[in-house]
Amino acid sequence: MNPIIIDGLSFALPLLIIAIGGIFSERSGVTNLALEGLLGFGAFTGGLCFVLITQILPMDSAVAFYLSFLAAALGGCAFSLIHALLCIKLRANQVISGVVINIAAVALTGFLTVQINTLAFAGASNKFLLTTAPRFSVPFLCDIPVLGAFFTKLYPFQPLIVVLAVICWFLLYRSRIGLRIRACGSNPQAVDAAGLSVGRIRLFAVAASGALAGLGGICFAYSISANVSPSIYFGGGFLAIAAMIFGNWKLVPTLLACLVFGFARSAASQLVLLLKMDSSVTDLAMIVPYALVLVLLVFFSRNTRAPKALGEVYDKGQR
Amino acid sequence: MPQAIIELRHISKSFPGILANDDISLTINQGEIFAILGENGAGKSTLASILFGMYSPDAGEIWLRGKKTNITSPARAVELDIGMVHQHFKLISEYSVTENIILGDEPLRRLAGIAGLDRKAAGTRIQELIDCYQFDLAPDALIEDIGVSSQQRVEILKMLYRSAEILIFDEPTAMLTPQETERLLAIIRRLRDNGKTIILITHKLEEIKLVADRCAILNHGRLIEVFDVASTSTQTMANRMVGYELNLNIKKTPPNFGRPVLEVSDLTVYDALKVKRVDAVSLKVHAGEVFALAGVAGNGQMELADAIAGLMDVHSGSIRLKGEEITKTTARRRACAGIAYIPEDRQQVGLILDFTVSENLMSKSYFRPPYCKGPFLQTKAAARLAEDICQRYDIRSAQGVATLVRSLSGGNQQKLIVAREIEAQGDLVIFVQPTRGLDIGATLGIRQRIIAERDKGRAVLLISLELEEVKALADTIGVIYNGRIAHTAPASEVGMKELGEYMLGVRK
């Protein structure tokens, strides 16, 4: 039981922060299918930052570890500006823009990783090797039966994500910018009539989604493979989109969806271990969360309530 | 001596194909209700949009409080204490009244250095305003849960919250029932008595007569004249507005009933939420008869019309057209069998807004010659026919029959639907709220058209919320209350008072 919770949580929380990124963007009215690409680019900049700093500092340096998170957020944010530029300023189709960014991110990060490794580190590898993130357990709390697993073998980024998620909740539902972001996703004309700039609010929301997705990307890089490689594009961004939709674009239900996906995934891999199946079956087991998406879609699609102006290019002139 | 607050000097504004405002100069005084009157498309809304900074004039100057001012954006207008209630409300339906009002000007409260919304302060401020103007609104109610007139009061509160001194109302009563209109006019008076300056844009003469101090008349973008409302008769205003002598009375010959065209018996209809909307309704409409269904909104009349036209499923009962059972046939079958339908919601049901005039005119007959030949649409023939129809029905558009219907004014959109339905040459024409939102000229035109159809021997089912319209046009009046026909009688045998009592369910 414990491994299911421990592994499930370490998968669900990065997923959550990416999904929250999606919520920011989509609640402002900008469809964001680019989460996958944004998390990959964030992981890339984070990984690059880590390998550069560890040229000077030792591999297990905490400074390099934490700076890589900052770099991932900045990288994701910067890359998301392309989406913002296309969707807000140039009024491009938001779905196409998202898809293009996903493709571009895969190509760009793969190319740059190999080039940088060849030029700077004299090896044509397509990976940035990271350190294995230190894990810790919360004293006393981790000794509670069953629930203690929620406080056992945590990655340092897990509490960070929880804190960030609370801040994001406050921003979305209790702050001025949140009120404005959600208004943009529902009726941009009303926002315009209130004398606010729809474009600027959406820019902020998309940038925030990029930063959060980037952060989620580097978390996955540390927890899943301890490196940044093309395998970072395993579909986490799309899973986050699904979680956001099941969560009805609301933060708390999205958290629940992420937990369901996380536990489904860890339960599947535990099952493979338990039945002593071949390791190649593990890959198959990893599709469990996605299969679950399909099943859940059947039941929940009818009740979803997307932001009203989602995907709408805002045009002042239209009646 | 009244003090001028706004002075417009030689304002002109043109759009592709239209000169919307042509050299308009006028002065609006502090603390008055200034009405701007004109037909649909006379340039009233453009003028208001210029005042609110949504458009900038091509030529001319705006002087505000004695100073030349450029109102470059709505935000700038708000800074200058100008507020506007748009015809289509700008509200977030998932937000509460309070949230909608504070959006863009939110009070903040610091909590451990982080700025959060101060809902309490906002709530108090808004409650004060609600109490001051007796608005009867709950600050925490969601917009989607409150009615149109309440939503409008939210829009007014938005302006007051931003301490607007000049309030612009763009066609504020277009969506309101008569009772709601009365309330709104009372609020507008109260606002003036509190020192606000009101600019009221409307095409309804009665409203102007009731509240306005002065009135400017626009026609085809030009200012015709400005006059004192108290000393001018409604008839004079009407004539000036349309630019010719207008006969407000409809001429009607005695009816000549033929065989029954529409026979509805024991019809019961449930809506999507399984609520009974139409309850065992029976009625008969004969050739050459205008059967008018009067009633307060929401008593099942719209559902009845939809059921007859085939847009809503019938639970029980039957509908017969010229003796033939049509209860279970599709809407297209019924249209082909001779039911013409002018629905209440012209933009949602009656038209495809992003299609052209010509395409909308053939949207009910594109599958028949002359609109198609085999599998091919005959676009040229359709355009020719459309041009002819536009001319005969006086449908005005910027780029002829290729104009997108979205860009037509409301009056022209309505004329287009009426034209399409009448041209279909059906035996039964159902008019639902045919003159809603139309100016006096267009209203008269459509009313005359209804009588003309009757005189051609067609059966007309008229559903209207306006008692005056029912009285003017009907040969037979039915009153619908709570989904049931409360009373049916020849028009000459029922008085206004009696009708009102049936409509409100006082008399049974």
Side-chain angles (χ1 to χ4, degrees):
Chain A
M1 189 62 194
N2 278 7
I4 296 181
I5 295 180
I6 293 167
D7 291 350
L9 207 58
S10 73
F11 183 78
L13 287 177
L15 194 64
L16 172 68
I17 206 69
I18 298 166
I20 292 176
I23 292 178
F24 265 92
S25 175
E26 303 221 333
R27 284 307 286 261
S28 82
V30 180
T31 307
N32 197 340
L33 297 183
L35 291 177
E36 179 83 356
L38 295 175
L39 82 83
F41 198 82
F44 164 77
T45 50
L48 180 63
C49 169
F50 183 84
V51 293
L52 288 179
I53 292 177
T54 50
Q55 296 301 304
I56 313 160
L57 297 171
M59 264 307 261
D60 56 356
S61 151
V63 177
F65 182 70
Y66 287 107
L67 273 182
S68 67
F69 284 95
L70 188 63
L74 289 176
C77 180
F79 207 57
S80 71
L81 293 182
I82 302 176
H83 191 51
L85 175 75
L86 287 171
C87 299
I88 302 168
K89 185 91 181 161
L90 302 177
R91 299 177 180 184
N93 181 297
Q94 300 174 0
V95 171
I96 295 176
S97 165
V99 170
V100 165
I101 286 171
N102 285 336
I103 297 169
V106 176
L108 198 63
T109 55
F111 172 77
L112 288 177
T113 307
V114 173
Q115 290 300 312
I116 290 169
N117 275 330
T118 314
L119 292 173
F121 310 119
S125 160
N126 66 347
K127 289 177 185 164
F128 290 139
L129 284 180
L130 304 174
T131 177
T132 21
R135 301 177 79 160
F136 68 98
S137 300
V138 182
F140 307 116
L141 287 176
C142 67
D143 298 329
I144 306 170
V146 188
L147 286 181
F150 285 97
F151 302 99
T152 310
K153 284 168 83 184
L154 297 177
Y155 287 102
F157 58 73
Q158 284 176 268
L160 179 78
I161 288 176
V162 172
V163 171
L164 260 181
V166 172
I167 294 175
C168 286
W169 178 86
F170 179 86
L171 276 179
L172 270 174
Y173 300 104
R174 288 287 179 274
S175 82
R176 174 158 72 183
I177 186 71
L179 188 76
R180 293 177 177 183
I181 285 175
R182 288 179 294 125
C184 278
S186 178
N187 186 351
Q189 278 79 16
V191 176
D192 196 37
L196 300 170
S197 158
V198 176
R200 243 185 261 168
I201 296 167
R202 286 186 168 174
L203 174 66
F204 174 85
V206 172
S209 88
L212 293 173
L215 204 60
I218 194 74
C219 293
F220 275 141
Y222 276 114
S223 64
I224 293 177
S225 50
N227 62 45
V228 177
S229 71
S231 69
I232 194 74
Y233 301 103
F234 65 97
F238 295 111
L239 203 56
I241 291 173
M244 166 183 76
I245 293 173
F246 293 140
N248 246 328
W249 290 265
K250 291 186 187 127
L251 209 150
V252 177
T254 299
L255 165 67
L256 296 179
C258 287
L259 289 175
V260 169
F261 290 154
F263 292 145
R265 189 175 187 273
S266 55
S269 59
Q270 286 302 314
L271 195 68
V272 171
L273 283 179
L274 199 70
L275 300 176
K276 297 203 174 55
M277 284 192 276
D278 190 74
S279 67
S280 62
V281 184
T282 317
D283 289 338
L284 200 62
M286 289 299 107
I287 69 162
V288 166
Y290 305 95
L292 198 64
V293 167
L294 288 179
V295 176
L296 290 179
L297 264 178
V298 176
F299 293 103
F300 287 98
S301 289
R302 263 163 280 152
N303 302 324
T304 54
R305 202 176 159 190
K308 279 210 193 84
L310 182 59
E312 234 176 61
V313 176
Y314 178 59
D315 180 3
K316 273 189 176 193
Q318 199 164 44
R319 286 199 199 195
Chain B
M1 183 65 200
Q3 200 184 349
I5 188 160
I6 298 175
E7 205 181 322
L8 301 181
R9 295 186 183 170
H10 308 291
I11 296 284
S12 289
K13 173 79 187 170
S14 64
F15 294 104
I18 301 173
L19 186 56
N21 286 161
D22 185 3
D23 193 20
I24 291 180
S25 301
L26 51 82
T27 308
I28 298 168
N29 295 328
Q30 166 79 46
E32 72 172 342
I33 299 177
F34 188 89
I36 300 179
L37 176 69
E39 291 185 277
N40 301 113
K44 311 179 297 272
S45 290
T46 306
L47 194 62
S49 301
I50 288 173
L51 272 176
F52 193 58
M54 285 163 20
Y55 300 133
S56 53
D58 297 340
E61 296 171 352
I62 300 172
W63 289 63
L64 196 66
R65 301 182 183 93
K67 268 193 295 207
K68 189 180 166 214
T69 314
N70 278 325
I71 308 175
T72 46
S73 68
R76 180 84 189 112
V78 171
E79 281 170 26
L80 294 166
D81 290 343
I82 302 174
M84 178 161 177
V85 175
H86 301 268
Q87 198 175 353
H88 301 283
F89 303 147
K90 314 252 179 192
L91 297 171
I92 317 279
S93 51
E94 300 92 343
Y95 278 14
S96 71
V97 169
T98 302
E99 287 171 324
N100 266 287
I101 293 169
I102 62 174
L103 181 68
D105 190 8
E106 303 89 346
L108 298 181
R109 181 179 51 161
R110 297 212 164 263
L111 222 143
I114 309 163
L117 293 176
D118 192 348
R119 280 159 202 270
K120 220 169 153 196
T124 325
R125 172 85 201 282
I126 288 162
Q127 191 63 53
E128 274 171 24
L129 286 171
I130 289 177
D131 293 341
C132 173
Y133 288 98
Q134 300 156 39
F135 267 5
D136 184 26
L137 269 177
D140 293 328
L142 297 184
I143 295 300
E144 59 195 359
D145 296 337
I146 62 179
V148 176
S149 74
S150 300
Q151 292 181 3
Q152 189 173 49
R153 292 198 290 277
V154 176
E155 285 283 7
I156 299 173
L157 274 178
K158 264 163 81 174
M159 302 190 294
L160 297 175
Y161 179 81
R162 288 164 176 73
S163 34
E165 289 299 320
I166 300 168
L167 312 181
I168 306 171
F169 289 84
D170 188 6
E171 307 268 4
T173 59
M175 313 287 281
L176 301 185
T177 64
Q179 294 87 340
E180 290 168 342
T181 301
E182 240 167 71
R183 274 189 75 179
L184 175 72
L185 296 181
I187 287 173
I188 289 180
R189 262 188 233 112
R190 216 172 296 143
L191 288 166
R192 178 198 48 197
D193 297 343
N194 277 290
K196 312 279 185 196
T197 305
I198 314 281
I199 300 173
L200 178 66
I201 293 163
T202 183
H203 56 248
K204 294 189 182 161
L205 294 165
E206 321 85 73
E207 284 164 18
I208 292 181
K209 203 68 191 155
L210 280 172
V211 295
D213 299 309
R214 290 193 307 144
C215 171
I217 289 185
L218 297 191
N219 191 340
H220 288 104
R222 277 194 302 277
L223 179 68
I224 305 299
E225 74 174 292
V226 179
F227 51 74
D228 259 358
V229 172
S231 57
T232 314
S233 77
T234 316
Q235 182 71 48
T236 319
M237 284 196 267
N239 290 345
R240 290 289 158 78
M241 177 165 109
V242 295
Y244 51 86
E245 284 291 312
L246 199 65
N247 189 353
L248 290 170
N249 296 317
I250 300 265
K251 270 195 244 90
K252 219 172 102 188
T253 52
N256 183 11
F257 287 8
R259 70 205 155 94
V261 173
L262 175 73
E263 290 165 277
V264 174
S265 49
D266 279 329
L267 191 73
T268 300
V269 177
Y270 288 81
D271 67 10
L273 301 170
K274 308 263 180 266
V275 178
K276 196 188 262 187
R277 288 295 180 177
V278 180
D279 187 2
V281 164
S282 299
L283 56 87
K284 243 183 224 183
V285 188
H286 302 83
E289 172 184 14
V290 176
F291 185 103
L293 201 57
V296 178
N299 273 293
Q301 55 270 67
M302 308 311 164
E303 289 80 2
L304 176 64
D306 276 354
I308 296 172
L311 303 184
M312 256 180 125
D313 283 338
V314 170
H315 176 259
S316 61
S318 77
I319 306 166
R320 280 140 65 96
L321 184 72
K322 294 176 281 179
E324 231 171 281
E325 177 75 31
I326 55 160
T327 319
K328 297 228 179 296
T329 56
T330 61
R332 188 201 270 197
R333 279 264 164 77
R334 295 186 205 194
C336 293
I339 295 184
Y341 184 35
I342 290 112
E344 180 193 26
D345 190 339
R346 51 181 169 250
Q347 301 206 331
Q348 294 290 325
V349 184
L351 296 167
I352 305 169
L353 292 178
D354 290 313
F355 276 23
T356 64
V357 169
S358 154
E359 285 164 338
N360 270 287
L361 279 171
M362 68 184 206
S363 61
K364 273 189 161 175
S365 42
Y366 64 91
F367 47 86
R368 275 194 311 231
Y371 291 109
C372 75
K373 201 183 265 175
F376 301 107
L377 284 180
Q378 301 298 305
T379 45
K380 274 191 193 145
R384 261 199 313 278
L385 288 165
E387 270 161 27
D388 174 52
I389 292 174
C390 285
Q391 197 154 31
R392 281 190 286 124
Y393 288 82
D394 189 29
I395 300 167
R396 289 178 218 169
S397 53
Q399 290 132 35
V401 296
T403 313
L404 290 190
V405 165
R406 185 182 291 284
S407 67
L408 259 54
S409 70
N412 281 306
Q413 290 179 351
Q414 183 73 347
K415 278 193 242 170
L416 193 157
I417 299 178
V418 170
R420 177 184 68 206
E421 298 301 323
I422 287 179
E423 287 298 308
Q425 314 283 346
D427 298 295
L428 171 69
V429 192
I430 306 173
F431 289 91
V432 183
Q433 289 276 74
T435 59
R436 191 176 71 151
L438 299 192
D439 62 57
I440 192 160
T443 297
L444 273 179
I446 285 187
R447 288 184 183 169
Q448 276 156 359
R449 185 73 68 177
I450 291 173
I451 296 302
E453 289 309 298
R454 174 195 81 149
D455 293 345
K456 274 190 233 160
R458 297 204 168 123
V460 175
L461 175 61
L462 169 71
I463 294 177
S464 177
L465 302 178
E466 286 172 53
L467 214 45
E468 164 250 348
E469 180 162 270
V470 167
K471 276 301 271 181
L473 299 177
D475 298 315
T476 312
I477 297 180
V479 182
I480 189 163
Y481 175 73
N482 218 353
R484 303 183 77 105
I485 300 281
H487 187 64
T488 313
S492 50
E493 289 173 20
V494 274
M496 283 286 216
K497 186 161 172 288
E498 199 184 336
L499 276 179
E501 286 170 1
Y502 280 115
M503 280 166 65
L504 295 171
V506 182
R507 192 197 272 235
K508 290 195 173 104

